[in-house]
Amino acid sequence: MTFSKHLDKKKTDSKMRVYADVNWYEQEISKNITRLSLTNFNVNQEVLNNLSKYLKMEECLVNELVLDRINLSNLNYLCCLTPDTKVKKLWLRFCQLKDKGVNYLLDILDETSRNTQLNALYLDSNSITCKGAKQIAQVLRTNRTLKSLSLANNLIKDEGSFVLVSVLSTFQLNDYEINWKSKQEQQRNRLLEYLTDILTKKLKEKTIPSNGSNNNNGLSSIGVANLKQKAESMIVPNTHPYLTGQLFKSGLSYHSPGNFKIAYLNISYNRFSSNILSVIEQIIQYQQKVCVAKEGLRNLKIEGFDMKQIERINKLIEGKLRLENKNKKLNYMHIISC
């Protein structure tokens, strides 16, 4: 069995290229490798399946997987992204995914299943259209793990790009999302009531005197509150943004303040007009008013459009970063003076 490794020991994200046998993962692999690149490699499903086995090994430290320039249109590459792998950065540039391939990614990015670990996804040059952009936007309504997203050099027009960037600002929950939220809350409340009842019975059993008579006809309001608090602590806390009190209500409608976790976005060289740049500018201004430090867009790439608008948007982002650094210095000086 032969394979070739190229390791740059000066870098922590060592690169590795595999050239031959599909069972290469069985070989002794350096534990220093955190970045695995198969760019331009002749990959078939057997290679991906074996790669998946390697990524699941306990000693495997790969957290960045590069599959650039591989035709993945008819391959199940998601087998490499199961919850028991450590991959957090995924490069899928020039992979001929199109909108169909984007649809496959949704299960990985959907945080309602709590399977996602990806915080960086690069989908440049995959002929993704408005349909694919809308699919990604739908997932970004709730995904709070992804920090970096690149969709450069695709076929996204105004309609798709507007839906995509709009999730970075306030948006209204649709009927499906409201119903899902209601069901989750009902399930949690039923579980809370069940646990509270169990704790109440156990407490009453402890307070029954040795003669068998029960003089405790009920619990005080403080006692009930304490039991409910204890029952709450037994339930795994919600992390979903629709269940953690991050929404605000207006009439019968629920609104999300937006996805503030996307820090890097690259939508350069698509097919939308400069009108979208005006929308992006408004969104950045909104984020600057609402976001706390280190939240919101911090690096936006929109090459191929009106330079004056791009410069104005970049100045807005730079102004936010300068303000954060200024506040950081002031806080540091306050600590020193104290």
Side-chain angles (χ1 to χ4, degrees):
M1 298 181 185
T2 59
F3 66 96
S4 177
K5 294 184 292 185
H6 298 281
L7 300 177
D8 184 351
K9 295 182 180 179
K10 295 181 180 179
K11 298 182 179 180
T12 57
D13 61 335
S14 305
K15 292 184 179 180
M16 181 174 118
R17 287 179 179 268
V18 182
Y19 292 100
D21 201 288
V22 294
N23 294 319
W24 58 269
Y25 74 96
E26 295 178 349
Q27 301 288 337
E28 183 179 354
I29 299 174
S30 171
K31 293 183 179 181
N32 295 325
I33 295 175
T34 60
R35 187 177 193 270
L36 175 61
S37 175
L38 300 179
T39 300
N40 283 323
F41 181 53
N42 185 22
V43 169
N44 56 31
Q45 192 59 53
E46 189 176 6
V47 171
L48 290 175
N49 291 341
N50 283 306
L51 173 60
S52 176
K53 294 177 183 178
Y54 163 61
L55 294 172
K56 293 175 184 176
M57 290 180 176
E58 187 176 350
E59 61 270 23
C60 175
L61 298 178
V62 173
N63 58 39
E64 185 171 0
L65 179 61
V66 184
L67 300 177
D68 290 348
R69 298 185 181 278
I70 300 173
N71 185 351
L72 297 173
S73 58
N74 296 313
L75 298 177
N76 175 25
Y77 58 92
L78 297 183
C79 65
C80 301
L81 299 171
T82 55
D84 47 357
T85 64
K86 303 179 181 70
V87 176
K88 296 183 184 299
K89 293 183 179 181
L90 180 62
W91 298 74
L92 297 172
R93 300 177 299 182
F94 299 94
C95 291
Q96 303 180 42
L97 297 181
K98 300 184 179 180
D99 295 334
K100 182 179 178 181
V102 169
N103 188 54
Y104 292 150
L105 277 168
L106 299 187
D107 289 339
I108 298 297
L109 295 172
D110 184 3
E111 290 203 340
T112 58
S113 63
R114 298 185 180 180
N115 288 335
T116 183
Q117 296 189 55
L118 287 180
N119 58 37
L121 179 61
Y122 304 90
L123 297 171
D124 307 30
S125 303
N126 275 296
S127 299
I128 297 170
T129 69
C130 291
K131 181 180 179 181
K134 289 178 180 179
Q135 291 173 325
I136 294 173
Q138 182 61 41
V139 171
L140 293 183
R141 289 166 73 92
T142 56
N143 182 293
R144 297 296 181 268
T145 302
L146 200 66
K147 305 292 190 300
S148 299
L149 174 64
S150 184
L151 288 164
N153 196 29
N154 279 292
L155 307 175
I156 304 171
K157 298 180 180 179
D158 279 20
E159 182 183 0
S161 56
F162 177 77
V163 175
L164 179 67
V165 298
S166 291
V167 300
L168 305 180
S169 182
T170 180
F171 59 84
Q172 182 177 333
L173 271 62
N174 56 40
D175 291 340
Y176 173 82
E177 292 170 326
I178 293 175
N179 290 334
W180 180 88
K181 177 181 182 299
S182 178
K183 288 180 181 179
Q184 295 296 316
E185 290 174 340
Q186 288 174 8
Q187 290 177 359
R188 181 180 176 85
N189 289 335
R190 286 199 296 268
L191 179 58
L192 180 60
E193 290 175 2
Y194 172 74
L195 293 174
T196 303
D197 287 343
I198 291 178
L199 294 174
T200 301
K201 289 178 182 178
K202 288 185 177 180
L203 182 60
K204 286 183 176 180
E205 289 173 358
K206 291 181 179 180
T207 57
I208 296 176
S210 58
N211 60 11
S213 62
N214 185 1
N215 296 323
N216 184 17
N217 295 323
L219 295 173
S220 66
S221 58
I222 296 177
V224 172
N226 289 337
L227 288 176
K228 286 185 177 180
Q229 187 175 5
K230 186 174 182 180
E232 283 272 10
S233 67
M234 297 170 66
I235 303 176
V236 177
N238 282 315
T239 58
H240 196 281
Y242 292 174
L243 302 172
T244 54
Q246 299 178 20
L247 303 178
F248 58 92
K249 194 172 182 180
S250 176
L252 298 177
S253 301
Y254 286 94
H255 298 260
S256 168
N259 186 333
F260 300 151
K261 297 302 180 181
I262 297 293
Y264 170 82
L265 179 64
N266 186 351
I267 49 176
S268 301
Y269 302 109
N270 273 278
R271 297 187 176 181
F272 54 82
S273 69
S274 59
N275 293 333
I276 298 300
L277 300 188
S278 300
V279 175
I280 292 173
E281 190 173 347
Q282 294 172 11
I283 289 173
I284 294 174
Q285 291 172 339
Y286 163 79
Q287 285 193 348
Q288 290 181 347
K289 294 178 181 177
V290 177
C291 291
V292 298
K294 296 185 178 179
E295 281 193 335
L297 279 174
R298 306 170 68 82
N299 190 347
L300 176 66
K301 293 189 180 299
I302 41 177
E303 298 174 11
F305 299 95
D306 181 75
M307 286 304 300
K308 290 184 177 179
Q309 279 186 289
I310 293 174
E311 288 175 3
R312 192 161 60 241
I313 290 172
N314 286 334
K315 285 181 179 179
L316 281 173
I317 295 177
E318 290 169 3
K320 180 179 185 296
L321 296 179
R322 282 198 301 269
L323 180 61
E324 287 180 9
N325 290 331
K326 181 179 178 181
N327 291 336
K328 190 184 298 182
K329 290 179 181 179
L330 289 175
N331 290 334
Y332 177 76
M333 294 301 295
H334 177 71
I335 293 171
I336 295 298
S337 62
C338 292

